[in-house]
C-alpha cells in the first residue's frame, strides 16, 4: 500500500519483498533463532533434513552439544576439510566435532550409538509465495522488510535515489 504508483506492478513489489528478506535472512534476530535436537544413528556420519527438517535451512550454528547418559558435552565446530583429513579409518565414538557442509552436518567421530544432539542456530523460513503467506519477516521484521522493499523499488524501478535514501534511513532504524 505504501507504493501506490502505476509504474510498479504487484509482481515487482513481491520480488522486492523477497529480495529484502533475502538480504537479512543470514543475520541473527530473536525471531529466527531456535534450539533444535536430533538423534544420531550408530555408524551414520552425515545428518540432513531426514534427521532434522531444519538442517538445510540453518544459516548459523552458535553451539552444539551431545547428551550421553544425561551428561551434555560440547561438540566443537571445525572445517569440513579438517574432518576429511582425520576421518581416514572410520573412527567411531562420542561425537566431538562437527562441520556444516552442503546443507548437512557431518559429525566426527562417527557416532557409535544413539545420542541426542542439541543445536542452537538461526535458520531461514520457508519462502513466501502466496499473497496470504506470512512468517516472522512479515510480523516481527515487518517494518525493516517493508522499508527495504520500498528502497529497492525506488532505486531499481522508479530511479529516485532521494526516496530510496529516505527508505534506507527508516530501514536502518528498524534494523537497529
Amino acid at each position: 500500500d505504501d507504493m501506490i504508483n502505476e509504474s510498479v506492478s504487484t509482481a515487482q513489489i513481491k520480488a522486492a519483498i523477497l529480495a529484502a528478506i533475502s538480504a537479512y535472512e543470514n543475520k541473527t534476530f530473536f525471531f529466527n533463532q531456535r534450539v533444535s535436537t536430533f538423534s544420531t544413528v550408530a555408524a551414520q556420519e552425515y545428518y540432513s533434513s531426514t534427521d532434522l527438517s531444519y538442517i538445510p535451512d540453518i544459516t548459523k550454528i552458535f553451539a552444539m552439544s551431545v547428551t550421553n547418559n544425561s551428561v551434555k558435552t560440547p561438540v566443537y565446530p571445525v572445517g569440513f576439510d579438517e574432518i576429511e583429513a582425520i576421518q581416514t579409518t572410520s573412527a567411531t565414538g562420542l561425537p566431538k566435532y562437527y562441520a556444516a557442509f552442503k546443507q548437512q552436518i557431518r559429525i566426527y567421530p562417527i557416532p557409535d550409538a544413539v545420542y541426542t544432539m542439541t543445536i542452537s542456530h538461526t535458520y531461514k523460513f520457508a519462502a513466501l509465495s502466496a499473497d496470504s503467506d506470512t512468517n516472522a519477516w512479515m510480523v516481527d521484521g515487518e517494518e525493516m522488510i517493508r522499508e527495504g522493499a520500498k528502497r529497492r523499488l525506488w532505486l531499481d524501478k522508479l530511479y529516485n535515489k532521494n526516496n530510496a535514501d529516505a527508505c534506507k534511513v527508516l530501514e536502518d532504524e528498524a534494523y537497529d
Side-chain angles (χ1 to χ4, degrees), residues 7-19:
S7 303
V8 179
S9 70
T10 302
Q12 290 170 326
I13 293 170
K14 289 178 184 181
I17 290 169
L18 294 177

Side-chain angles (χ1 to χ4, degrees), residues 19-173:
I21 291 171
S22 179
Y24 287 106
E25 68 186 350
N26 289 329
K27 298 193 180 301
T28 302
F29 300 95
F30 73 91
F31 56 83
N32 68 346
Q33 296 174 338
R34 168 173 273 156
V35 175
S36 302
T37 60
F38 67 93
S39 296
T40 63
V41 176
Q44 181 177 324
E45 184 174 8
Y46 292 89
Y47 294 84
S48 66
S49 62
T50 57
D51 305 291
L52 175 65
S53 63
Y54 299 114
I55 287 177
D57 301 317
I58 290 175
T59 56
K60 181 177 183 180
I61 297 174
F62 296 100
M64 186 181 298
S65 63
V66 58
T67 303
N68 181 28
N69 295 324
S70 301
V71 176
K72 259 188 177 179
T73 306
V75 179
Y76 300 101
V78 295
F80 182 86
D81 57 331
E82 293 176 69
I83 293 178
E84 189 70 18
I86 59 176
Q87 184 61 287
T88 58
T89 61
S90 297
T92 61
L94 183 69
K96 293 180 183 171
Y97 303 103
Y98 74 90
F101 188 73
K102 290 183 70 173
Q103 298 183 318
Q104 296 181 341
I105 295 173
R106 185 179 187 183
I107 296 177
Y108 179 85
I110 298 169
D112 60 352
V114 174
Y115 301 106
T116 299
M117 305 297 291
T118 303
I119 312 171
S120 59
H121 61 92
T122 55
Y123 66 104
K124 293 180 185 179
F125 297 102
L128 301 172
S129 57
D131 288 351
S132 60
D133 285 354
T134 190
N135 62 25
W137 291 116
M138 307 313 294
V139 178
D140 298 308
E142 183 271 334
E143 183 180 359
M144 180 179 66
I145 297 306
R146 179 170 30 90
E147 294 303 331
K150 286 168 41 180
R151 178 174 56 85
R152 283 167 173 75
L153 291 168
W154 282 118
L155 198 59
D156 298 339
K157 303 298 177 201
L158 299 172
Y159 308 108
N160 186 320
K161 186 173 178 344
N162 290 335
N163 285 357
D165 289 346
C167 290
K168 178 66 173 151
V169 169
L170 296 173
E171 179 184 4
D172 290 346
E173 285 178 9

